[in-house]
Amino acid sequence: MDWAFIFVNAVVLACIYGTLAIGISITWSSLGLVNLSYAYIFALSGYGAWLVAQFVGPSLPAVLVGPAVMAGGILTGAFGGLIVCALAFIPIHDKPNFTVRGLIATLAINLIGTQLLLWWFGPRSKNLPEIFGTGKIAAPGLVMTADKIGNVLSSVILLTVVLQWMRSSRRGLEIRAMMMNPHAAAIVGIGVRRTGFYVMAITGGLAGLAAVLLSQTYYIAPFSGLTPMIKGVSIALCGGLGSVRGAVIAALLLGLNEAITSVTLGGQYVLMTQFLAIIIVLLIRPRGIAGILDKAREA
């Protein structure tokens, strides 16, 4: 078994799906919203990046096409997050049984949004240009292609920027306060609605980055976000909702599982082995690997 190949693929998958899972985890822990519209935001971001590649890319120097496509996907994802916040969070966040209402509302946005994408763009799949080039780096027993290196670096850099912003800026500290204890944050005057727009824009941008990175391997289609959303939610649950550290650990664990399963059994068994691993983790740790922050939401 080529362990170097498996390890590289596991890290790449963990970076892509972990980016999406961290966004889901932040949304839950700060807003109490289980956002099931990420599949729609994911697909919308892919089409946003594709539109930039088609209509803006030809007028740019070749070296700027990749950054422009990536920026298009991230900004489209942030815009999608704002739409979901305006439609599914602001009107009902102070209503009784908000968790169930929010889950149903985001699911409805997901279904309606994907149908609108199907109506507007049609069923034919789109593909993005190779934004990281075609080069490769060879080392003893290991070959890293440009897209894999770019995927890992892009995910790590953007997540580092977002987490550092949350540690140092006023808005970021407000979001962290809501993640730690939303009731206490509201008492001291942190605006829930205003913070909600920030949270949804940031997590939508993370979903947009994941869409662009995964589109280097797969095609863009109206329903292309469904599987990544399932994997993102699975990683967030396995890591423990509300825990960024847990999401990173779970992403590495499930990325390694997916890489090993694909090589040894075949891609058709990936979801089965992933859910088996998640069930085992949740039997041992019902709150997930590092799921301790959700206690604050229940307080």
Side-chain angles (χ1 to χ4, degrees):
M1 186 178 294
D2 189 348
W3 286 105
F5 176 78
I6 292 175
F7 176 75
V8 170
N9 282 344
V11 171
V12 172
L13 291 171
C15 288
I16 296 175
Y17 294 131
T19 301
L20 193 59
I22 288 173
I24 293 171
S25 194
I26 291 175
T27 304
W28 159 252
S29 57
S30 59
L31 305 182
L33 178 66
V34 180
N35 188 357
L36 294 184
S37 66
Y38 272 114
Y40 160 66
I41 296 175
F42 189 95
L44 179 69
S45 303
Y47 280 111
W50 178 77
L51 289 173
V52 171
Q54 292 296 310
F55 299 104
V56 181
S59 62
L60 296 175
V63 70
L64 295 180
V65 173
V69 171
M70 185 179 293
I74 293 173
L75 292 176
T76 305
F79 177 69
L82 293 175
I83 293 176
V84 174
C85 184
L87 296 179
F89 177 70
I90 298 298
I92 62 173
H93 75 90
D94 54 352
K95 300 291 190 297
N97 207 9
F98 163 69
T99 302
V100 176
R101 288 172 183 248
L103 190 147
I104 295 173
T106 54
L107 179 61
I109 291 175
N110 182 56
L111 296 174
I112 296 171
T114 49
Q115 289 298 323
L116 288 175
L117 291 176
L118 179 63
W119 169 72
W120 186 266
F121 292 100
R124 189 172 181 179
S125 301
K126 317 289 185 185
N127 65 316
L128 293 181
E130 294 177 332
I131 60 178
F132 300 113
T134 57
K136 62 179 65 176
I137 298 176
L142 180 65
V143 176
M144 289 285 290
T145 58
D147 64 315
K148 292 180 179 177
I149 297 173
N151 284 346
V152 173
L153 290 179
S154 301
S155 301
V156 172
I157 290 173
L158 186 61
L159 281 175
T160 302
V161 170
V162 170
L163 295 178
Q164 185 60 35
W165 177 81
M166 290 177 63
R167 290 176 181 275
S168 58
S169 70
R170 179 180 177 85
R171 302 302 179 203
L173 291 174
E174 290 179 353
I175 294 174
R176 291 187 65 197
M178 289 189 62
M179 291 174 66
M180 296 300 295
N181 194 320
H183 303 295
I187 291 173
V188 298
I190 295 176
V192 175
R193 297 185 178 186
R194 182 184 59 194
T195 307
F197 278 110
Y198 281 105
V199 170
M200 295 301 289
I202 292 171
T203 56
L206 292 177
L209 174 66
V212 173
L213 298 182
L214 200 62
S215 298
Q216 296 299 294
T217 305
Y218 299 101
Y219 291 105
I220 299 166
F223 301 100
S224 61
L226 181 59
T227 300
M229 185 192 72
I230 293 174
K231 292 184 178 180
V233 173
S234 302
I235 291 171
L237 289 172
C238 186
L241 283 171
S243 172
V244 174
R245 180 169 59 90
V248 172
I249 297 172
L252 289 172
L253 175 66
L254 297 185
L256 184 63
N257 171 80
E258 180 168 339
I260 293 177
T261 303
S262 299
V263 172
T264 57
L265 301 177
Q268 67 271 29
Y269 296 102
V270 167
L271 284 180
M272 282 189 275
T273 57
Q274 278 191 346
F275 281 109
L276 180 61
I278 292 170
I279 290 171
I280 293 173
V281 169
L282 294 181
L283 284 175
I284 299 172
R285 293 184 63 85
R287 292 183 182 275
I289 294 173
I292 57 175
L293 294 182
D294 54 343
K295 291 179 180 177
R297 301 202 65 84
E298 297 171 358

